[in-house]
């Protein structure tokens, strides 16, 4: 059998596998280039943030920012002096280069040890320990080194040889207000860039920024039941004789419900620093880098029901499908405060079970040959609008860069498709790419869209015409008017999901969105999503406001 490490990504920082590249090449998605996704790089055999062809000397810090540096080179003294995160200050400036996570943690100040939190994640964590072999378990750790707030995040494999497994760190520089990203290679370390590099065209979506897309901390499953994580809702399965049980870090593992709160805080902190920096002089140099968070999905989170699929029976009653599947609930309800009354749609458990059979749901890992019928541990996993994108929009509204009305009008253009919306992404063409006064940004984009709707003879269902119609709703009425539309939509979905044909349409829509997620580098493991008998080349689908599903052309 081929070497495991060459076939499965240990993390999004590592290179893609031949298996993944082949899968991606077979998937076709009708999305414009402005969708915010990053297709697989044509040549990633070198390793995403790896050293390239340069042999690394032991005990040194190198720099390699993927897309900007062809290969690793030693970090210069003046560069090291500018790195002010705990990893640089505690270790690299002192000439210390830990080779294992145990060594790294033991050399941190005692206050850091007191604040340390340890979490455990594995996409195969609920599969029988004897059924799969290697299960890609990883520890994620957070700690506060220089103060009371988390400023160091560590990711490493759980179990195995600590000197051979991956070891990666993100450190928050409280002076520069950025994350710095590092990876250990044998007994040397590589600095892979900072948060700002995630936004620059040459390095965006490359190296560690294929997962840290916007330069912040990442937790894909950022909502209850924290799919794949050990949490208050699930315990990762281990064999009784698994040596991991004796691991000191494993014995410190706590529930991912705590990590969710930390990650949300870290995203908020970086977003605030980012917006403060880009608006400091009253001019936004790259408005498109901000508004793509509203008009596109730069990344996604994963969500599911709170029900274990194996416990669902025909007598289980109704199943509440994830709210993020139907719309961007966080922005529309929590932030923009649309006035709504409709309850979340619920599907018959019997329809869900019938769908598992009809669509051939299963878990598969091609290279290992693992196959298991049924759904993921928690039922009905789908991508949803990312907290990272929502947080940028949320803070843009608070800072007055755009109005709540503007954000609502944009979202309502295609609100039944909270992710992968070609219609909404087309509005990016009206966003300036040159420096724009911060106070005039929202007005300038609004004016451009309204002018296009008025002068270009566009159809009434064009994104521009939809936005213009929304803009005509009086300032004091849009929360209730838009809320009524959302209510009507959810009622229609609630009716359709009760029918066999309606539920089947939503299964197809969910799989369509999963296929699009699989094209993203954020898709690291085959077992994250179920497979079905729906052909990989099936046309992409979209939801309509009347609750029906249609093909994208």
């Amino acid at each position: 059998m081929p070497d495991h490490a060459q076939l499965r990504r240990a993390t999004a920082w590592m290179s893609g596998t031949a298996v993944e590249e082949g899968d991606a090449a077979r998937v076709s998605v009708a999305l414009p280039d402005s969708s915010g996704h990053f297709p697989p790089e044509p040549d990633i055999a070198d390793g995403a943030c790896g050293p390239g062809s340069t042999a690394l000397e032991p005990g040194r810090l190198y720099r390699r920012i993927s897309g900007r540096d062809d290969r690793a080179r030693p970090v210069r003294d003046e560069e090291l002096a500018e790195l002010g995160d705990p990893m640089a200050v505690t270790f690299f400036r002192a000439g210390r280069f830990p080779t294992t996570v145990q060594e790294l943690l033991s050399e941190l100040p005692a206050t850091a040890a007191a604040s340390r939190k340890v979490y455990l994640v594995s996409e195969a964590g609920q599969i029988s320990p004897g059924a799969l072999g290697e299960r890609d378990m990883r520890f994620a750790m957070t700690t506060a080194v220089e103060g009371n707030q988390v400023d160091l995040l560590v990711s490493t494999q759980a179990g195995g040889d600590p000197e051979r497994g991956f070891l990666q760190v993100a450190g928050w520089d409280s002076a520069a207000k950025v994350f710095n990203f590092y990876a250990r290679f044998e007994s040397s370390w590589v600095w892979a860039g900072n948060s700002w590099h995630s936004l620059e065209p040459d390095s965006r979506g490359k190296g560690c920024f294929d997962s840290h897309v916007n330069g912040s901390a990442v937790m894909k499953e950022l909502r209850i039941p924290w799919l794949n994580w050990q949490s208050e809702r699930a315990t990762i399965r281990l064999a009784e004789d698994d040596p991991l049980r004796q691991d000191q870090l494993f014995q410190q593992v706590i529930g991912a419900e705590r990590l969710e709160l930390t990650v949300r805080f870290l995203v908020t902190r970086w977003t605030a620093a980012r917006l403060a920096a880009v608006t400091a002089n009253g001019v936004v140099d790259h408005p498109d880098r901000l508004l793509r968070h509203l008009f596109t999905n730069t990344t996604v989170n994963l969500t599911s029901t709170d029900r274990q699929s194996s416990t669902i029976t025909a007598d289980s009653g109704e199943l509440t499908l994830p709210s993020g599947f139907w719309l961007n609930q966080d922005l529309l309800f929590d932030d923009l405060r649309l006035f709504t009354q409709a309850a979340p749609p619920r599907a018959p458990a019997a329809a869900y079970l019938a769908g598992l059979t009809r669509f051939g749901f299963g878990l598969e890992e091609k290279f290992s040959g693992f196959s298991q019928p049924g759904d993921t541990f928690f039922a009905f996993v789908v991508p949803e609008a990312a907290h990272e994108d929502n947080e940028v929009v949320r803070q843009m509204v608070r800072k007055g860069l755009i109005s709540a009305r503007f954000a609502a009008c944009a979202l309502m253009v295609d609100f039944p498709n909270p992710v992968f919306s070609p219609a909404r992404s087309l509005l990016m063409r009206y966003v300036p790419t040159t420096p724009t006064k911060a106070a005039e940004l929202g007005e300038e984009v609004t004016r451009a869209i309204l002018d296009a709707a008025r002068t270009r003879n566009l159809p009434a269902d064009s994104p521009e015409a939809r936005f213009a119609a929304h803009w005509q709703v009086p300032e004091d009425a849009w929360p209730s008017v838009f809320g009524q539309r959302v209510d009507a939509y959810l009622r229609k979905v609630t009716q359709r999901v009760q029918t066999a044909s309606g539920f089947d349409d939503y299964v197809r829509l969910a799989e369509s969105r999963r296929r699009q997620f699989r094209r993203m580098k954020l898709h690291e493991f085959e077992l994250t999503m179920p497979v079905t008998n729906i052909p990989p080349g099936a046309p992409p689908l979209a939801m309509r406001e009347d609750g029906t599903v249609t093909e994208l052309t």
Side-chain angles (χ1 to χ4, degrees):
M1 177 180 292
D3 180 63
H4 169 273
Q6 296 177 355
L7 289 172
R8 183 191 290 154
R9 297 174 84 187
T11 166
W13 292 34
M14 300 302 181
S15 63
T17 68
V19 173
E20 290 167 327
E21 292 173 24
D23 288 346
R26 288 190 292 272
V27 178
S28 60
V29 181
L31 285 175
D33 290 342
S34 60
S35 63
H37 306 152
F38 308 104
E41 297 174 53
D43 182 10
I44 53 177
D46 181 26
C49 72
S53 59
T54 302
L56 303 187
E57 296 180 16
R60 296 198 68 172
L61 177 63
Y62 289 79
R63 160 188 158 141
R64 190 194 177 207
I65 303 172
S66 292
R68 181 166 295 191
D69 302 324
D70 292 336
R71 61 189 63 192
R73 65 163 175 79
V75 167
R76 294 188 287 266
D77 291 343
E78 60 270 24
E79 291 176 320
L80 180 57
E82 293 177 354
L83 298 176
D85 62 274
M87 195 70 190
V89 173
T90 303
F91 292 98
F92 303 142
R93 289 187 189 176
R96 300 155 65 190
F97 300 88
T99 58
T100 68
V101 66
Q102 292 83 359
E103 184 180 349
L104 188 157
L105 296 176
S106 68
E107 295 184 12
L108 289 173
T111 53
S115 66
R116 184 169 67 228
K117 303 291 187 297
V118 184
Y119 306 93
L120 183 66
V121 60
S122 171
E123 285 68 17
Q126 299 303 331
I127 294 173
S128 173
L132 185 60
E134 176 58 51
R135 298 165 70 208
D136 285 312
M137 295 195 184
R138 291 99 63 200
F139 289 125
M141 285 157 277
T142 66
T143 188
V145 178
E146 297 180 347
N148 297 323
Q149 297 180 340
V150 169
D151 54 11
L152 195 69
L153 299 95
V154 181
S155 178
T156 189
Q157 73 176 34
D161 185 346
E163 293 189 357
R164 295 178 59 85
F166 73 91
L167 177 57
Q168 297 154 359
V169 175
W172 176 255
D173 185 328
S174 59
K177 291 183 169 52
V178 294
F179 284 104
N180 285 311
F181 298 91
Y182 303 95
R184 186 217 62 207
F185 290 90
E186 297 182 350
S187 56
S188 297
W189 284 79
V190 173
W191 174 57
N194 65 36
S195 299
W196 290 112
H197 293 117
S198 74
L199 307 175
E200 295 297 331
D202 57 352
S203 48
R204 184 159 176 78
K206 299 174 183 176
C208 57
F209 305 125
D210 64 6
S211 58
H212 298 271
V213 175
N214 298 300
S216 191
V218 173
M219 183 182 183
K220 292 193 292 288
E221 305 90 341
L222 198 58
R223 197 187 300 277
I224 191 171
W226 309 283
L227 182 77
N228 302 319
W229 290 84
Q230 181 142 315
S231 72
E232 63 186 18
R233 294 305 177 102
T235 299
I236 288 179
R237 300 172 63 184
L238 293 180
E240 289 298 325
D241 60 350
D242 193 320
L244 187 60
R245 291 183 179 275
Q246 309 305 317
D247 189 294
Q248 290 185 353
L249 289 177
F250 176 78
Q251 294 171 3
Q252 299 173 39
V253 168
I254 61 175
E257 63 275 6
R258 298 278 297 276
L259 181 58
E260 174 193 336
L261 300 177
T262 297
V263 170
R264 288 181 182 272
F265 162 75
L266 295 176
V267 171
T268 296
R269 183 173 65 183
W270 157 237
T271 303
R274 174 187 172 188
L275 265 64
V278 301
T279 60
N281 64 354
V283 174
V284 179
D285 288 338
H286 302 284
D288 52 316
R289 298 183 187 179
L290 291 181
L291 282 171
R292 62 189 172 198
H293 294 282
L294 173 64
F295 292 127
T296 78
N297 303 107
T298 68
T299 184
V300 296
N301 285 127
L302 300 179
T303 185
S304 71
T305 73
D306 194 20
R307 301 276 291 277
Q308 296 180 20
S309 58
S310 62
T311 67
I312 300 172
T313 68
D315 299 325
S316 295
E318 293 186 317
L319 192 66
T320 302
L321 300 184
S323 296
F325 179 61
W326 310 114
L327 41 69
N328 188 337
Q329 60 172 355
D330 291 346
L331 279 182
L332 291 173
F333 294 170
D334 298 342
D335 296 303
L336 300 178
R337 300 187 181 280
L338 298 193
F339 301 143
T340 61
Q341 296 179 337
R346 298 171 63 89
Y352 166 75
L353 293 173
L356 295 183
T357 301
R358 185 158 45 253
F359 293 98
F361 272 69
L363 300 178
E364 290 185 0
E365 188 175 68
K366 293 182 178 66
F367 88 85
S368 69
F370 172 80
S371 178
Q372 174 180 293
D375 204 353
T376 44
F377 183 69
F378 290 105
F380 209 83
V381 179
V382 290
E384 68 171 352
H387 175 66
E388 291 179 63
D389 285 332
N390 287 345
E391 185 61 28
V392 174
V393 175
R394 185 176 297 120
Q395 293 199 31
M396 287 178 67
V397 172
R398 290 175 182 169
K399 289 182 71 69
L401 291 171
I402 59 175
S403 66
R405 180 188 180 195
F406 174 88
C409 288
L411 290 173
M412 291 298 291
V413 164
D414 193 20
F415 72 89
N417 293 289
V419 294
F420 312 133
S421 168
R424 195 164 49 249
S425 68
L426 286 174
L427 294 179
M428 279 296 295
R429 68 180 65 175
Y430 302 103
V431 177
T433 57
T434 55
T436 303
K437 290 183 179 179
E440 300 175 0
L441 177 57
E443 294 178 2
E444 182 169 331
V445 178
T446 300
R447 187 165 51 250
I449 297 173
L450 297 181
D451 287 347
R454 184 179 63 254
T455 63
R456 292 178 53 195
N457 195 30
L458 296 170
D461 65 347
S462 68
E464 296 89 343
R466 293 183 214 171
F467 182 96
H470 300 155
W471 195 255
Q472 297 304 312
V473 178
E475 177 71 30
D476 61 349
W478 64 262
S480 58
V481 171
F482 294 169
Q484 290 168 10
R485 280 179 56 192
V486 171
D487 278 349
Y489 159 70
L490 291 176
R491 285 193 292 268
K492 290 173 183 176
V493 167
T494 297
Q495 293 174 353
R496 288 211 72 228
V497 78
Q498 294 292 323
T499 67
S501 61
F503 185 82
D504 284 358
D505 277 349
Y506 298 147
V507 171
R508 294 186 183 95
L509 176 63
E511 180 61 15
S512 174
R513 292 177 181 173
R514 292 187 199 109
R515 288 199 305 272
Q516 294 177 63
F517 171 75
R518 291 187 186 104
R519 295 186 68 239
M520 304 172 73
K521 291 183 178 180
L522 198 62
H523 178 233
E524 306 169 64
F525 303 93
E526 291 182 277
L527 295 174
T528 301
M529 299 280 191
V531 297
T532 68
N533 57 21
I534 299 173
L541 304 177
M543 177 79 89
R544 289 173 168 158
E545 196 169 331
D546 63 2
T548 61
V549 175
T550 186
E551 292 184 2
L552 287 172
T553 57

